[in-house]
């Protein structure tokens, strides 16, 4: 019962912080960390970083997914594997706690 209450409080705080961030910045654009990191690196190196890009070796692989569904499938597969791993460890420790 105590663990459920702690989880509920953490979940409420997470959801509240999400809605607070959305309310505080209603017209903001949420960019990815990769783009922001590339901008910072280019600023630090005075633009020399842009001379070499990942496209030079990525294009040599010549792998193109058959469609947008493949990207969604791989993302869903990654999420499912992560959920299985987390569920296993939570179940393992819960069962270990109950057996003591």
């Amino acid at each position: 019962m105590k663990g459920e209450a702690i989880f509920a409080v953490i979940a409420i705080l997470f959801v509240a912080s999400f809605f607070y961030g959305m309310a505080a910045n209603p017209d903001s654009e949420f960019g990815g960390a990769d783009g922001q990191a590339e901008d910072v690196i280019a600023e630090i190196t005075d633009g020399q970083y842009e001379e070499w890009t990942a496209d030079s070796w990525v294009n040599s692989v010549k792998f193109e997914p058959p469609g947008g569904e493949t990207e969604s499938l791989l993302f869903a597969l990654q999420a499912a594997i992560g959920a299985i791993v987390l569920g296993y460890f939570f179940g393992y420790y819960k069962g270990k706690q109950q057996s003591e």
Side-chain angles (χ1 to χ4, degrees), residues 1 3 5 19 26 42 44 47 54 57-58 65 75-76 81 92 97:
M1 187 66 164
F19 284 118
I44 291 172
W57 66 271
V58 170
F75 179 75
I81 291 171
Y92 174 79
Q97 182 183 20

Side-chain angles (χ1 to χ4, degrees), residues 9-30:
V9 168
I10 291 172
I12 289 170
L13 287 174
F14 175 76
V15 171
S17 68
F18 174 75
F19 284 118
Y20 173 74
M22 294 296 288
N25 305 311
D27 295 328
S28 64
E29 295 181 19
F30 295 100

Side-chain angles (χ1 to χ4, degrees), residues 32-54:
D34 292 341
Q36 293 175 359
E38 184 177 345
D39 293 342
V40 170
I41 292 171
E43 182 180 319
I44 291 172
T45 61
D46 295 326
Q48 295 175 359
Y49 175 74
E50 295 177 14
E51 294 174 5
W52 182 89
T53 62

Side-chain angles (χ1 to χ4, degrees), residues 66-88:
E69 299 85 17
T70 304
E71 184 178 350
S72 298
L73 172 70
L74 291 174
F75 179 75
L77 182 63
Q78 178 185 2
I81 291 171
I84 289 170
V85 169
L86 284 174
Y88 171 78

